[in-house]
Amino acid sequence: ETGVTQSPTHLIKTRGQQVTLRCSSQSGHNTVSWYQQALGQGPQFIFQYYREEENGRGNFPPRFSGLQFPNYSSELNVNALELDDSALYLCASSLVLAGGHNEQFFGPGTRLTVL
Amino acid sequence: GQNIDQPTEMTATEGAIVQINCTYQTSGFNGLFWYQQHAGEAPTFLSYNVLDGLEEKGRFSSFLSRSKGYSYLLLKELQMKDSASYLCAVGSNTGKLIFGQGTTLQVKP
């Protein structure tokens, strides 16, 4: 176990709805990254938060947004859900240090199904 | 552009050795990661290479050649529990990981 938790485990929504996914990072970590993993594919980077600020974003539309809180937990919000948003959403936490590598520890994921 | 290639599927026999290759072309490079992912579970960290050469960790070893944009993961003494997806990922200078599509390894008795 990595110490990274995510909720909920599974979620079913319909097209057009909004969803909020939550992540609690590993103790001592200051950075949270979110990834979307479609079935049979590798994870795709959505965005990263460092000290409550967005620190890089992948090729996802603005309806994907996020927050990081002072305790370094994080939320991923997706508005106007589309069928293609059905995927496993992974949260990864890491401790970013100057000159260090960015080993990321993944949570168990939230399986989102959009009908 | 960013491109990471690895085989989609591989099959090997219990007790054997298997090598999973990964080639990459990325605009930044801050290390090459290998993760293991069992079906329905989160990826778990296996190895990290930032300098050329071989890193050995028990039954698993990982190799990197930065000039060739090439890495491999070597699994020895295969066990049935090694059946999983193996993800190659390049760390970018901004901290994100760029993943390949993953290699599904099936270990047969």
Side-chain angles (χ1 to χ4, degrees):
Chain A
E1 296 226 349
T2 62
V4 181
T5 60
Q6 292 186 243
S7 63
T9 308
H10 295 85
L11 199 54
I12 299 175
K13 292 285 189 177
T14 55
R15 261 188 319 177
Q17 285 188 310
Q18 178 267 341
V19 70
T20 297
L21 310 182
R22 295 179 174 84
C23 171
S24 291
S25 58
Q26 188 174 106
S27 177
H29 284 182
N30 58 12
T31 302
V32 173
S33 303
W34 285 93
Y35 295 83
Q36 179 195 67
Q37 187 175 25
L39 202 61
Q41 301 296 315
Q44 298 295 310
F45 175 75
I46 303 175
F47 43 56
Q48 182 182 84
Y49 279 83
Y50 171 68
R51 292 184 175 178
E52 302 177 57
E53 296 285 333
E54 188 177 289
N55 182 42
R57 188 179 182 91
N59 189 26
F60 281 81
R63 59 189 185 84
F64 284 78
S65 63
L67 284 173
Q68 187 181 30
F69 300 100
N71 65 355
Y72 302 125
S73 65
S74 178
E75 286 182 356
L76 164 65
N77 299 289
V78 187
N79 294 322
L81 283 167
E82 300 176 0
L83 297 180
D84 286 349
D85 295 333
S86 295
L88 180 68
Y89 287 85
L90 295 163
C91 163
S93 78
S94 57
L95 176 61
V96 175
L97 300 173
H101 72 265
N102 187 25
E103 180 181 338
Q104 299 188 13
F105 297 85
F106 285 85
T110 294
R111 172 72 62 187
L112 173 65
T113 302
V114 182
L115 302 175
Chain B
Q2 320 266 43
N3 195 41
I4 299 176
D5 285 321
Q6 49 181 133
T8 306
E9 295 179 344
M10 297 184 72
T11 303
T13 305
E14 193 176 15
I17 299 172
V18 70
Q19 177 174 314
I20 303 174
N21 296 323
C22 171
T23 58
Y24 63 90
Q25 285 181 303
T26 56
S27 55
F29 182 83
N30 191 25
L32 192 294
F33 296 79
W34 284 95
Y35 282 82
Q36 180 192 60
Q37 187 177 27
H38 285 99
E41 298 182 10
T44 55
F45 171 80
L46 288 178
S47 69
Y48 169 76
N49 295 67
V50 68
L51 299 176
D52 290 355
L54 188 68
E55 294 281 340
E56 296 185 81
K57 189 187 292 186
R59 294 190 299 116
F60 293 3
S61 303
S62 57
F63 172 84
L64 175 67
S65 169
R66 289 172 296 170
S67 62
K68 296 181 179 178
Y70 168 69
S71 173
Y72 68 73
L73 179 69
L74 193 71
L75 293 77
K76 302 176 185 175
E77 301 170 12
L78 280 173
Q79 302 175 8
M80 298 299 291
K81 67 177 182 180
D82 296 330
S83 293
S85 180
Y86 291 86
L87 300 164
C88 171
V90 172
S92 75
N93 295 331
T94 58
K96 71 179 182 181
L97 292 176
I98 306 161
F99 284 89
Q101 68 177 21
T103 299
T104 300
L105 173 66
Q106 185 178 20
V107 180
K108 294 186 174 180

